[in-house]
Amino acid sequence: MFGDMMGMMNKIKETQQKVEETKERLKTVTIEEKSSDGLLKVTISATREIKNISVADELMDDKEQLEDYLVLTLNKAISRASDINEAELAAVAKDGMPDIPGLDQFK
């Protein structure tokens, strides 16, 4: 019994380590999102850190339009980054979960 418990604890520790490694790797994964006409480009990490914003000169003349572009494009980029982040971390966590009787009913 204690062998099983130690095995589960070790597996949980391994999974925690893999989650931390995945979080570090996700800092280096970048996502590029563009406005529909390509006038604004946002680069963001999978950890939702904005890396770069590129604005076409023609957007600089209209503050309100630029603000709209920023909101829409940043929201799309953040949504994509969140999806990637959650999928990667969920895969690591699911893969590393010990086989505990009765837990499969929660899938």
Side-chain angles (χ1 to χ4, degrees):
M1 170 151 176
F2 286 114
D4 291 342
M5 183 68 101
M6 290 301 291
M8 281 193 286
M9 294 300 289
N10 286 337
K11 187 148 185 158
I12 290 171
K13 282 184 181 181
E14 286 176 26
T15 300
Q16 287 173 330
Q17 179 66 33
K18 287 179 183 177
V19 166
E20 291 305 314
E21 290 169 1
T22 300
K23 285 180 180 179
E24 285 300 310
R25 185 179 57 76
L26 287 171
K27 290 179 182 178
T28 66
V29 174
T30 57
I31 296 107
E32 272 191 16
E33 188 65 51
K34 295 180 184 179
S35 60
S36 58
D37 56 9
L39 296 178
L40 181 80
K41 182 173 78 171
V42 172
T43 305
I44 187 171
S45 73
T47 56
R48 299 172 215 72
E49 180 181 343
I50 297 169
K51 298 294 188 176
N52 189 43
I53 297 176
S54 176
V55 181
D57 290 338
E58 59 200 81
L59 282 178
M60 300 304 285
D61 297 332
D62 186 345
K63 179 181 183 267
E64 196 171 309
Q65 183 182 17
L66 175 57
E67 290 169 345
D68 290 344
Y69 271 63
L70 282 167
V71 168
L72 291 171
T73 308
L74 282 168
N75 281 335
K76 286 193 315 187
I78 291 168
S79 178
R80 285 183 56 206
S82 294
D83 290 347
I84 291 169
N85 189 301
E86 291 168 14
E88 291 282 331
L89 291 175
V92 170
K94 181 182 177 193
D95 188 44
M97 287 299 293
D99 293 326
I100 300 174
L103 273 186
D104 57 345
Q105 69 183 354
F106 297 110
K107 291 181 182 176

